[in-house]
Amino acid sequence: MLAIHKYVIVALLLYSCKCEVDDQYYPRYHLAPPSGWMNDPNGFCFFKGEYHLFYQYNPDSSQEPGIAHWGHAISKDLFTWEHLPIAMYPDQWYDKSGVFSGSAIVENDTMYLLYTGNLNHPDASLDHEQHQALAFSIDGESVSKYEENPVIDAPEYQPNIRDPKVWKNGDTFYMVLGNSFENETLGRALLYSSADLKSWDLVSILDKSNGSLGYMWECPDFFEIDGKFVLLFSPQGVKPQGDKYNNLYQTGYIVGNFDYDTYNFTPLTEFVELDHGHDFYATQTILDAFNRRLLVAWMDMWEQNYPERDDGWTGQMTIVRELSLSKDNHLIQKPVAEIILARGRLLYTARRTKGSKRIELTEKTGEIRIKSKASKDLNLFIESKNQSVKISYDHKQGLISLDRGGHDGLRRTGWKPIRKLKLKIYVDASSIEVFCGRGEVTFSSRFFPEDKVFVRLREDTEAEEMTVSSMRRTVEKPDSNN
Ligand code: FRU
């Protein structure tokens, strides 16, 4: 009798451990799911004094995306996040195979959410279809779906038409949608307009792939910044080209002019990747109450099998970044100013410092700031007992790189620092974000250090200034038993 009891207790303990979230790789100051699976940021907005960030969410498992729900978190400062109850479940005929990505717009004290309902037909010739749907929230927590959904059916553009991003210009609402055409071989962005968010008309095709830009454009976004317009999207199917396009899918942008009378977008640039790291996808931007164009991305990539999934959670967001456009039409990304609230203790500061000193980070978090001569190489390691990430600047070739080791570890791009070489690097338990110069080049990559993390300049590297601070825990520890 006693023996049976023992087995029952052990079995119960094992069962409860299965869904425990382990803290070893869990971010201290980036948003991640309380448990389960997270992908794209959705419905980012500023509503009644708080930022809301929804996300693609599978509450039931961290091993697979499952059937997407919308998870929900709020923050006043973009670092201290509070989880709210799941905002949308796949509970309608048009979204029963997934409440896919979408965006928010705030009008008359109401938060409106436009998203894609995904509907699978496993046995039909068209194996899925996607409809656009409207939902709203008055209190910023409980969400109601519009009774006359879907608001866009678009039978002629099926089966891949998704990820509505909505904004308002004058009295009119606009929506950009990602789509695949020519028998799913080419991607494009469709522009719709509406007077009331319920009835939508297609007004133009903003831009499309000529074959070199993939078979599907996911998560498109379109916004005005510093006098130009930016079409930002995540194409699938772009082939690697030297140092470019080496992730499974890319996120990048085209800068151009746009005319609201003709709905014509005239590109001025080629497609440019927005970030050069391994894990940056499905971006979403908003104009916040302070007129800042803020951007957030999923800091992960499809089909990676990262070890966190065995810890009860998968996926996280990047630091929210403020965008601007340079004179030569490049997007500049800076961590939002609120990041100073997350800065912790000063761990190290020195002038004219040489390599070899190892600085231990606290709780695997750190902000590393470096200033150095642009005419000298720089090599820096962020290392632990099982993994070393190397950040290198090669002044002769004008190249900056991040190498996390292992298969496909290297990411590299051209960079010519203006006067001084300046780097800001943010480390958080299982991620590294590098901001070069004013933010003209960034790398966002995941790594999985065990135990302590150290930072070290290579012996032959000399920095004019180097400062290392820890970062505070601004996100709650995940439930250890949920
Ligand atoms: C991008 C994406 C979107 C889609 C969502 C589904 O990562 O594939 O196109 O709406 O994820 O979770």
Side-chain angles (χ1 to χ4, degrees):
M1 186 66 182
L2 206 68
I4 293 176
H5 259 115
K6 245 203 279 173
Y7 286 123
V8 171
I9 289 165
V10 170
L12 278 174
L13 276 175
L14 278 176
Y15 178 77
S16 66
C17 290
K18 254 191 168 172
C19 42
E20 255 184 31
V21 169
D22 193 309
D23 201 27
Q24 60 177 331
Y25 303 130
Y26 197 83
R28 295 20 171 163
Y29 59 95
H30 288 77
L31 179 66
S35 66
W37 174 288
M38 166 192 271
N39 58 281
D40 315 2
N42 294 155
F44 191 21
C45 63
F46 189 73
F47 182 66
K48 300 186 179 165
E50 283 172 322
Y51 293 95
H52 289 247
L53 189 52
F54 301 83
Y55 52 89
Q56 290 288 281
Y57 185 40
N58 178 5
D60 299 322
S61 169
S62 55
Q63 300 290 343
E64 48 170 30
I67 300 178
H69 298 52
W70 272 34
H72 189 189
I74 50 169
S75 175
K76 286 199 166 65
D77 61 14
L78 297 164
F79 286 92
T80 316
W81 291 102
E82 182 192 332
H83 292 289
L84 293 187
I86 291 175
M88 288 199 273
Y89 288 80
D91 54 9
Q92 303 293 316
W93 70 263
Y94 52 83
D95 64 15
K96 69 175 187 199
S97 318
V99 186
F100 273 14
S101 285
S103 58
I105 184 160
V106 175
E107 268 291 295
N108 305 325
D109 278 344
T110 304
M111 180 196 294
Y112 292 94
L113 304 170
L114 281 122
Y115 70 95
T116 300
N118 184 51
L119 185 58
N120 291 341
H121 304 293
D123 304 319
S125 56
L126 197 66
D127 73 352
H128 65 275
E129 49 186 299
Q130 298 178 334
H131 304 285
Q132 316 315 315
L134 174 66
F136 60 93
S137 176
I138 292 169
D139 63 3
E141 187 164 332
S142 62
V143 173
S144 311
K145 294 179 186 171
Y146 176 49
E147 282 179 358
E148 285 169 51
N149 273 337
V151 292
I152 300 180
D153 262 322
E156 63 279 40
Y157 303 126
Q158 295 295 337
N160 290 305
I161 173 165
R162 59 177 177 266
D163 309 337
K165 174 69 201 297
V166 182
W167 72 99
K168 194 178 187 187
N169 184 62
D171 290 333
T172 307
F173 298 101
Y174 293 91
M175 175 199 288
V176 62
L177 273 174
N179 182 222
S180 188
F181 68 112
E182 293 277 339
N183 287 322
E184 314 313 306
T185 59
L186 298 173
R188 63 183 172 184
L190 308 177
L191 181 67
Y192 282 74
S193 79
S194 168
D196 59 5
L197 295 169
K198 293 170 183 159
S199 140
W200 292 91
D201 298 309
L202 179 75
V203 294
S204 79
I205 290 167
L206 273 183
D207 205 358
K208 58 183 182 205
S209 168
N210 57 8
S212 65
L213 276 182
Y215 58 81
M216 171 65 193
W217 290 6
E218 296 192 303
C219 304
D221 197 343
F222 192 62
F223 55 88
E224 190 173 356
I225 187 164
D226 299 329
K228 300 275 171 31
F229 283 81
V230 173
L231 177 61
L232 171 64
F233 57 103
S234 296
Q236 296 178 294
V238 180
K239 304 243 157 39
Q241 246 178 60
D243 287 337
K244 295 203 283 194
Y245 317 138
N246 284 301
N247 295 339
L248 175 63
Y249 305 135
Q250 330 304 323
T251 291
Y253 62 97
I254 297 169
V255 179
N257 289 317
F258 179 68
D259 183 342
Y260 272 110
D261 292 327
T262 60
Y263 307 121
N264 253 335
F265 175 61
T266 320
L268 297 168
T269 70
E270 302 276 286
F271 175 80
V272 183
E273 275 174 286
L274 183 53
D275 186 279
H276 300 274
H278 300 79
D279 298 287
F280 185 91
Y281 196 62
T283 46
Q284 188 159 102
T285 75
I286 55 162
L287 199 61
D288 80 350
F290 312 104
N291 237 14
R292 302 184 291 181
R293 177 60 59 179
L294 302 183
L295 173 135
V296 63
W298 180 39
M299 190 155 47
D300 205 324
M301 180 49 64
W302 290 105
E303 296 174 29
Q304 297 308 300
N305 296 323
Y306 287 145
E308 69 205 28
R309 59 168 61 189
D310 295 329
D311 289 349
W313 67 282
T314 287
Q316 62 174 289
M317 297 298 163
T318 59
I319 292 172
V320 177
R321 301 156 184 205
E322 183 176 349
L323 297 182
S324 57
L325 193 71
S326 69
K327 291 214 171 66
D328 63 349
N329 292 331
H330 274 85
L331 282 178
I332 308 287
Q333 303 176 68
K334 278 190 179 37
V336 282
E338 289 89 334
I339 198 154
I340 55 165
L341 303 172
R343 189 182 288 156
R345 251 175 350 107
L346 181 69
L347 300 176
Y348 175 82
T349 183
R351 283 174 181 271
R352 283 202 197 84
T353 179
K354 272 231 166 196
S356 73
K357 188 173 166 51
R358 271 180 124 203
I359 303 134
E360 185 184 330
L361 302 184
T362 321
E363 288 250 339
K364 303 187 193 179
T365 69
E367 179 197 58
I368 303 152
R369 283 176 292 163
I370 290 187
K371 195 164 115 187
S372 167
K373 287 204 171 71
S375 56
K376 286 207 163 145
D377 287 357
L378 182 128
N379 286 286
L380 174 113
F381 299 94
I382 293 158
E383 56 197 10
S384 65
K385 70 175 192 205
N386 64 319
Q387 198 175 358
S388 173
V389 178
K390 182 176 166 193
I391 294 161
S392 308
Y393 166 68
D394 176 335
H395 84 278
K396 278 207 191 97
Q397 302 208 56
L399 289 172
I400 176 96
S401 62
L402 177 150
D403 190 348
R404 66 178 178 184
H407 166 69
D408 192 31
L410 179 68
R411 290 290 179 275
R412 186 168 60 187
T413 189
W415 179 44
K416 289 242 157 17
I418 311 163
R419 290 203 299 273
K420 292 285 174 195
L421 180 149
K422 286 187 185 163
L423 297 178
K424 266 192 193 161
I425 303 165
Y426 291 92
V427 180
D428 187 3
S430 58
S431 69
I432 297 185
E433 284 160 282
V434 184
F435 295 84
C436 306
R438 295 177 303 145
E440 58 268 25
V441 172
T442 62
F443 292 87
S444 307
S445 289
R446 305 294 307 280
F447 78 130
F448 294 90
E450 286 167 18
D451 286 348
K452 295 178 172 157
V453 178
F454 300 87
V455 50
R456 170 173 70 86
L457 289 172
R458 204 169 74 181
E459 292 69 35
D460 55 354
T461 291
E462 201 181 288
E464 290 182 359
E465 282 174 35
M466 177 165 171
T467 304
V468 182
S469 307
S470 65
M471 296 293 283
R472 293 194 305 112
R473 196 184 269 271
T474 60
V475 300
E476 278 170 59
K477 257 192 190 179
D479 287 351
S480 56
N481 207 349
N482 50 358

